[in-house]
Amino acid sequence: MKWLKRLVIAFFSLGLLGIGAIVAAYFYVLPELPDVTTLKTVKLQTPLRIYSSDGKLISQFGEKRRIPVQYEDVPEQLINAVLDTEDARFFEHKGIDPIGIIRAAVILVTTGKKSQGASTITQQVARGFFLTRDKTYIRKTKEIFLALKIEKALNKEEILTLYLNRSFLGNRAYGVGAAAQVYYGKELNELSLPEMAMIAGLPQSPSAANPIRNSTRALNRRNWVLSRMLEKRNITQAQYDEAIQAPITAKYHGAVIDLYAPYISEMARDYLVEKYGEEQAYTGGYDIYTTVDSKLQMDAQKALRHNVYAYDERHGYRGRTKVLWTDVQPDSEDIKAKLKQTGSFQGMHPAAVLSVEEQTAKVMTAKGDIYELPWDGIKWARKFITNKRQGKAPKLATEVLTAGQQVWIRNNGEIWQLSQVPLVASAIVSIDPQDGAIRNLVGGFSFYTSQYNRVTQAKRQLGSNIKPFIYSAALEKGYTLSTLINNAPINKPDTRQGTAWRPKNSPDIYGGPTRLRVGLAQSINVMSVRAMRYSGLDATIAQLVKFGFDPADLPRNESIALGSPSVTPLQVVTAFSTFANGGYLVEPYFIERVESANGDLIETANPTLACTPTEPEQPLVDDPFAAMANELQSDATAAIDVTVSTAEQCGNEDSRFAPKIISEQTAFLITESLKSVIWGGGDWSKGTGWNGTAWRAARVVKRRDIAGKTGTTNESRDTWFSGFNPKLATTVWVGFDDHGQELGRTSWNANGAKDQISLAEAGAKTAGPAWNEFMKDALEGTPVEPTKTPEGIVSARIDLATGKLSRKTDYTTRFEYFIAGTEPTEYATEQEEDNSDIFIDKSEEDLFQ
């Protein structure tokens, strides 16, 4: 019996010693144990996501891909798969599994190796959030005590949710939600049983058992998970037999981008990084909703791309990109391998020319697809000589292509055609004139080839796009739309530039005294200079500054009248919006709101509104009768359908309001003149009709509520088109990034004539088509906005030749708008009306300005 007594004493002593060791270990690591209650409010690192205003995902930034999910959103079988694999007694133990600990101890004693098999899911959560993965006794001790504390602070569902969201599952996927997207491109509730088993097997071996990199080991791991589910009776034998026969279908799925808008996403990313720092921006789970409308963005990208291709093709074909073979054609696999060395972008694909007939060619893509290029897809390819010269139009495909060449091809919506990477640059941007929201922004032909955002970064000479602002200053000083300005050569040069600057018309044709409306609509250079001289250089510069242009960019000489200042397209569209909204300079903005990963609003835009708030009168004293009268008056006003600004139109007490920089009347008169840029004037049946420089817009957009202005600089280095209707203002720029490079000319033989026709690139021809196509698509289905004549505007019938009042009512007269008090008071004499020649002859080239 002594030995039994000694044995009891020994076990009791060991028990006390063990308890003492545990207590000692606890107090030893206690100072280093973190507060586990922080897990209740833990913020999981999730990537930055950027959306359009209508909720389309534009981009995602961040090293970790994570889609946080709630416990109730996880399929039951996925939970079963995870628990059967990682911690079958999870819902039974209190944070540590004694059976697992004993098993790990036996392994340690028998093999001398440490095992992690004893770690419960709670311990893994403790290690994942608070500890390292080092296999040390101290770390294991901390892990055990933290697990016990976590079990007291959180319930089982909360612990399991943390585990399911935080586990690294390979390929930058953190959590089961991200893994479902990365490996299968699915939501959790769309996963099949084999797919769930595959994901459940990844936490312990995200690299070794990765189904993309190691399909054999992944298959074995998945089937082992399925066997555990069968053993735990969470699936039937039939389900098991079917699931293990399923092939590995996992492949990498990137973030599902709904809308390609890289330039605006870069702007949003830069904004958040600057505000919060790179680490916080990329891991804080921010969702940025931009002001970009997905349809308008796609319309803008399409219009810009079509226009750039059109410019590039009319200037000629620069030839093949490579020669893949000269004599014997390699086999298809060889050809595809060579083509795969060049990536596709912007709808263009590298292709090998297999054979060439008289007017067709057969090509192969990197995927092995074979297409026939018809003559309509080849005949554009005149030889490129310079931007000003092209070779003769080809008559045979063999003049353009040879078997063995690597070329670019694209589908233009109708056929597959020969293509090439354009060298010219372009930008397009639209804003809402009423509050400055950027509705679309394309900073270049391809973000893939150039991340330079020309909308916000490229300062280019404005050319004739500046003329509406020049004339607005003249109107505010006293000119009217019927004021005659001499369309004659400038004899007195400006010497402030150091040389005698004497501007000319383009072409060098002059028509004598001409009404201001016509001068702006036909972009007559000398009239703009004379209008600027009337206002004065200082007043003109001050006017341009009011429109938001930087004084440092405005030269103090008369070249300013023809657009010598260099500005960005965003500055230009903002300035033009002032005419669309009645005289207010709104601030452009592109971020509508920022939300946290759980949908909490972090910040929201407070844009400048294009209206003037109406201040309600408040009684001076606390008079109950005055308050009652004020309330009754408010009720009465609310019942009246008024056409002037209302409280709703003007936001609320927290709103910001744009400064009014020109009068509503001046904005209206300039808009009317800019409509003439598109629609022209006169009576063609009587021989008095005339075109504005943008007459093509009338034929394409076919709306009477649009207004716009072309712009071209010297040697056609920059071309512009800016225009608007009351709901949308858009600017298009086309040029080369190299300021010294000219856009050039195109030439062709018309109707088989011997002499070539040569036409310079200019605003209406080069930038205009993109504006026309975009506005046609953007405004399609929206009602035409009626012309709203503001208070203070009157109309009077004038003689077209003299700008004076007229008693006639025939084609030699028209009604013109005036600011009240500025209308003519003198009538044209009968001799003036009978002898005036009002026919305006503009050459085709001049109409491209």
Side-chain angles (χ1 to χ4, degrees):
M1 294 296 292
K2 287 184 177 180
W3 64 268
L4 182 59
K5 184 177 181 182
R6 289 173 182 173
L7 188 62
V8 170
I9 293 172
F11 274 116
F12 182 74
S13 300
L14 286 174
L16 289 177
L17 186 62
I19 294 171
I22 293 172
V23 172
Y26 176 74
F27 282 103
Y28 177 78
V29 299
L30 180 61
E32 300 177 24
L33 293 181
D35 181 8
V36 297
T37 59
T38 58
L39 292 176
K40 285 184 171 291
T41 57
V42 68
K43 291 185 178 180
L44 296 168
Q45 292 185 359
T46 52
L48 164 63
R49 290 181 294 242
I50 298 169
Y51 295 90
S52 65
S53 62
D54 48 341
K56 300 290 179 66
L57 181 63
I58 295 175
S59 191
Q60 181 171 287
F61 295 96
E63 183 181 344
K64 298 179 179 180
R65 287 185 63 180
R66 180 181 276 117
I67 304 173
V69 296
Q70 300 299 317
Y71 180 81
E72 55 269 20
D73 297 329
V74 183
E76 182 181 1
Q77 283 292 51
L78 180 55
I79 292 176
N80 290 336
V82 170
L83 295 182
D84 292 346
T85 306
E86 296 293 326
D87 189 356
R89 288 176 290 277
F90 173 72
F91 282 102
E92 300 165 13
H93 61 64
K94 300 298 183 182
I96 59 174
D97 184 1
I99 297 175
I101 292 175
I102 293 171
R103 184 174 63 248
V106 171
I107 293 173
L108 177 62
V109 171
T110 57
T111 67
K113 295 180 180 179
K114 300 171 185 175
S115 170
Q116 282 191 290
S119 292
T120 64
I121 281 178
T122 312
Q123 287 175 263
Q124 292 182 56
V125 168
R127 180 170 65 243
F129 280 95
F130 300 116
L131 304 172
T132 68
R133 297 184 68 88
D134 297 337
K135 294 183 180 180
T136 64
Y137 293 114
I138 290 296
R139 194 273 294 164
K140 195 68 176 180
T141 302
K142 292 179 181 178
E143 181 183 295
I144 291 171
F145 288 126
L146 280 173
L148 295 171
K149 293 180 71 174
I150 290 171
E151 289 276 346
K152 290 182 179 180
L154 280 71
N155 62 40
K156 289 289 188 178
E157 287 76 13
E158 291 171 331
I159 295 169
L160 188 53
T161 301
L162 287 173
Y163 177 81
L164 293 172
N165 280 318
R166 196 185 190 283
S167 297
F168 174 58
L169 303 176
N171 287 97
R172 294 174 52 208
Y174 287 79
V176 294
Q181 287 288 343
V182 167
Y183 292 112
Y184 301 108
K186 297 180 178 181
E187 301 294 330
L188 285 177
N189 59 7
E190 298 172 329
L191 293 173
S192 66
L193 176 60
E195 291 167 346
M196 291 187 217
M198 180 67 73
I199 291 174
L202 285 171
Q204 296 304 326
S205 49
S207 297
N210 189 299
I212 296 175
R213 299 175 186 171
N214 195 334
S215 58
T216 301
R217 294 187 67 174
L219 181 65
N220 293 335
R221 179 69 175 169
R222 182 201 71 180
N223 290 347
W224 183 82
V225 173
L226 289 168
S227 70
R228 289 286 297 164
M229 295 181 74
L230 177 63
E231 181 184 336
K232 296 297 180 181
R233 299 183 180 180
N234 283 316
I235 59 173
T236 65
Q237 184 67 47
Q239 288 175 309
Y240 171 78
D241 292 339
E242 181 182 357
I244 62 172
Q245 296 301 318
I248 298 294
T249 59
K251 63 179 181 179
Y252 182 76
H253 295 77
V256 183
I257 302 301
D258 301 315
L259 175 66
Y260 181 72
Y263 292 99
I264 199 76
S265 72
E266 276 297 300
M267 291 169 63
R269 182 188 69 84
D270 288 344
Y271 167 81
L272 210 68
V273 168
E274 183 177 347
K275 185 165 186 177
Y276 296 110
E278 196 165 285
E279 182 178 354
Q280 177 65 13
Y282 291 161
T283 63
Y286 297 104
D287 290 337
I288 298 180
Y289 288 84
T290 67
T291 57
V292 166
D293 177 273
S294 62
K295 179 188 179 299
L296 296 183
Q297 181 69 21
M298 289 188 289
D299 288 342
Q301 288 170 172
K302 177 169 68 74
L304 182 143
R305 189 164 57 245
H306 287 174
N307 190 51
V308 167
Y309 279 136
Y311 168 87
D312 193 66
E313 290 174 8
R314 66 176 173 261
H315 282 266
Y317 181 53
R318 294 183 292 276
R320 80 309 185 265
T321 59
K322 293 179 184 178
V323 176
L324 300 179
W325 71 87
T326 54
D327 298 320
V328 181
Q329 178 177 318
D331 62 38
S332 296
E333 293 304 315
D334 234 10
I335 296 173
K336 289 192 292 183
K338 291 180 179 179
L339 291 174
K340 285 177 181 177
Q341 296 174 11
T342 305
S344 301
F345 72 101
Q346 289 296 79
M348 292 189 298
H349 308 278
V353 180
L354 301 179
S355 62
V356 185
E357 303 296 332
E358 283 192 1
Q359 292 194 332
T360 62
K362 192 171 290 185
V363 298
M364 175 191 285
T365 68
K367 292 182 177 180
D369 298 325
I370 295 177
Y371 299 105
E372 183 173 273
L373 306 184
W375 180 237
D376 283 345
I378 301 172
K379 66 183 181 182
W380 67 268
R382 297 183 297 161
K383 183 180 179 182
F384 172 85
I385 301 174
T386 69
N387 285 337
K388 294 183 179 181
R389 290 183 59 213
Q390 301 83 41
K392 293 182 179 179
K395 295 181 180 179
L396 299 171
T398 51
E399 298 175 39
V400 179
L401 298 170
T402 303
Q405 292 179 336
Q406 179 174 319
V407 298
W408 290 100
I409 63 169
R410 65 184 177 91
N411 191 311
N412 63 21
E414 298 179 359
I415 60 171
W416 282 94
Q417 69 157 86
L418 179 66
S419 191
Q420 63 187 358
V421 178
L423 300 180
V424 74
S426 185
I428 181 171
V429 58
S430 302
I431 71 173
D432 183 339
Q434 305 307 319
D435 66 358
I438 295 177
R439 308 304 285 160
N440 59 266
L441 183 150
V442 186
F445 171 76
S446 168
F447 189 80
Y448 173 80
T449 57
S450 173
Q451 288 78 53
Y452 182 49
N453 189 341
R454 294 155 188 85
V455 168
T456 60
Q457 295 175 296
K459 286 192 172 184
R460 303 302 294 250
Q461 284 196 326
L462 189 51
S464 295
N465 245 204
I466 205 170
K467 289 175 182 176
F469 313 113
I470 301 297
Y471 282 111
S472 72
L475 288 176
E476 293 197 329
K477 191 173 180 182
Y479 269 5
T480 71
L481 299 189
S482 71
T483 296
L484 295 184
I485 302 175
N486 198 11
N487 178 11
I490 300 284
N491 294 319
K492 183 180 178 182
D494 179 17
T495 58
R496 273 172 285 222
Q497 300 183 68
T499 58
W501 181 73
R502 186 178 280 111
K504 296 181 179 180
N505 285 342
S506 176
D508 200 10
I509 298 172
Y510 304 87
T514 304
R515 286 177 293 121
L516 185 152
R517 177 192 282 267
V518 178
L520 177 53
Q522 296 194 328
S523 200
I524 300 173
N525 287 342
V526 295
M527 291 179 63
S528 181
V529 174
R530 286 190 166 97
M532 184 273 299
R533 287 181 173 180
Y534 169 76
S535 303
L537 181 60
D538 289 341
T540 299
I541 291 175
Q543 184 81 341
L544 291 169
V545 171
K546 285 199 301 183
F547 278 95
F549 298 116
D550 188 341
D553 296 328
L554 305 177
R556 296 194 62 79
N557 57 65
E558 291 186 346
S559 69
I560 202 171
L562 301 184
S564 60
S566 294
V567 296
T568 67
L570 185 58
Q571 288 177 297
V572 177
V573 75
T574 304
F576 268 86
S577 293
T578 301
F579 301 128
N581 64 31
Y584 298 91
L585 183 66
V586 294
E587 294 177 12
Y589 71 103
F590 60 93
I591 292 180
E592 189 176 276
R593 68 186 187 278
V594 179
E595 295 181 356
S596 66
N598 59 8
D600 292 336
L601 185 64
I602 295 174
E603 64 177 84
T604 186
N606 187 14
T608 53
L609 304 180
C611 61
T612 302
T614 302
E615 295 287 344
E617 290 188 13
Q618 299 295 332
L620 295 178
V621 295
D622 188 13
D623 183 348
F625 295 103
M628 185 182 301
N630 191 49
E631 183 177 348
L632 290 172
Q633 184 179 9
S634 298
D635 291 341
T637 305
I640 301 174
D641 183 16
V642 294
T643 58
V644 296
S645 296
T646 65
E648 183 180 359
Q649 290 175 318
C650 286
N652 53 50
E653 60 184 10
D654 297 322
S655 297
R656 297 192 303 136
F657 300 94
K660 193 162 192 176
I661 61 169
I662 58 174
S663 70
E664 187 177 4
Q665 293 74 26
T666 298
F668 173 80
L669 294 179
I670 293 293
T671 298
E672 284 300 303
S673 296
L674 295 179
K675 288 181 179 179
S676 295
V677 173
I678 294 173
W679 292 99
D683 187 339
W684 289 98
S685 66
K686 303 294 184 181
T688 63
W690 54 273
N691 276 326
T693 58
W695 54 271
R696 284 172 178 78
R699 298 182 182 181
V700 175
V701 187
K702 299 177 182 177
R703 294 174 64 105
R704 282 284 179 175
D705 61 348
I706 56 172
K709 182 69 187 77
T710 54
T712 311
T713 62
N714 289 341
E715 290 87 36
S716 298
R717 299 180 194 275
D718 297 283
T719 57
W720 299 81
F721 197 107
S722 298
F724 54 87
N725 87 335
K727 302 293 186 182
L728 194 68
T730 302
T731 285
V732 175
W733 168 84
V734 180
F736 286 98
D737 288 333
D738 177 3
H739 289 232
Q741 196 167 352
E742 300 175 20
L743 287 165
R745 309 176 71 88
T746 52
S747 56
W748 68 94
N749 293 87
N751 300 320
K754 293 182 179 179
D755 296 330
Q756 280 197 331
I757 295 175
S758 180
L759 195 62
E761 297 290 343
K765 177 184 179 183
T766 313
W771 190 93
N772 298 344
E773 180 182 348
F774 169 73
M775 291 297 276
K776 175 180 179 293
D777 293 340
L779 300 178
E780 186 176 12
T782 65
V784 174
E785 298 290 326
T787 299
K788 296 179 181 179
T789 307
E791 292 183 7
I793 290 290
V794 298
S795 62
R797 184 177 288 278
I798 63 165
D799 173 55
L800 295 179
T802 64
K804 297 178 182 178
L805 295 174
S806 177
R807 294 184 176 88
K808 290 186 175 182
T809 58
D810 60 13
Y811 63 90
T812 65
T813 68
R814 67 158 286 165
F815 278 103
E816 186 58 276
Y817 291 109
F818 299 90
I819 297 175
T822 66
E823 64 271 23
T825 56
E826 182 182 354
Y827 281 89
T829 64
E830 287 189 23
Q831 183 178 4
E832 286 176 324
E833 292 179 325
D834 291 341
N835 295 338
S836 294
D837 180 9
I838 61 171
F839 177 71
I840 299 167
D841 182 18
K842 298 289 288 181
S843 74
E844 181 74 1
E845 176 154 343
D846 194 32
L847 292 178
F848 281 132
Q849 295 302 305

